[in-house]
Amino acid sequence: MRTKVLLMALAVAATCAAKDIKTVVLTTIPEMHCTGCEQKIKSNIRFEKGVKDIRTNLEDKTVTIVYDADKTSVADIVKGFKKINYVASEVKPAPTKK
């Protein structure tokens, strides 16, 4: 039994390691300002190909999406937002000083 569990865990780990999983943070126009907006985004964008996880932050008005870069791109995810009448744009991280 332990051997089977170990083999399954190794198989899952090998499969996950082969994927190109990335994260993008987006803002939307109109701004996500209520739980209704949050639910509309979550319930629709989750069907976009390659999307693995969606986290929303009403305080920051951001949507963080974890996706498989082998199956989709940021541009494709942004197109998904257009389908539900939102314009999404990527939040670029602030440059770090060296």
Side-chain angles (χ1 to χ4, degrees):
M1 181 67 174
R2 286 185 183 173
T3 306
K4 286 183 182 179
V5 172
L6 181 59
L7 288 175
M8 286 186 65
L10 287 173
V12 169
T15 303
C16 291
K19 293 183 179 184
D20 188 13
I21 305 298
K22 294 186 178 182
T23 302
V24 63
V25 179
L26 303 166
T27 58
T28 62
I29 298 174
E31 288 185 334
M32 180 179 58
H33 64 279
C34 66
T35 57
C37 298
E38 188 177 37
Q39 289 298 23
K40 181 179 181 180
I41 289 169
K42 283 182 174 180
S43 63
N44 286 282
I45 300 301
R46 71 185 177 112
F47 291 110
E48 291 298 315
K49 185 177 181 177
V51 171
K52 301 293 180 193
D53 186 40
I54 303 170
R55 287 168 282 172
T56 54
N57 185 323
L58 283 175
E59 188 175 304
D60 294 340
K61 298 180 181 1
T62 59
V63 181
T64 302
I65 299 177
V66 178
Y67 66 98
D68 184 346
D70 293 332
K71 294 182 179 181
T72 193
S73 66
V74 173
D76 290 336
I77 293 169
V78 168
K79 286 179 190 175
F81 276 87
K82 286 183 182 177
K83 293 177 192 175
I84 58 171
N85 299 319
Y86 281 89
V87 176
S89 58
E90 187 174 357
V91 175
K92 301 288 185 180
T96 57
K97 293 184 179 182
K98 293 183 178 182

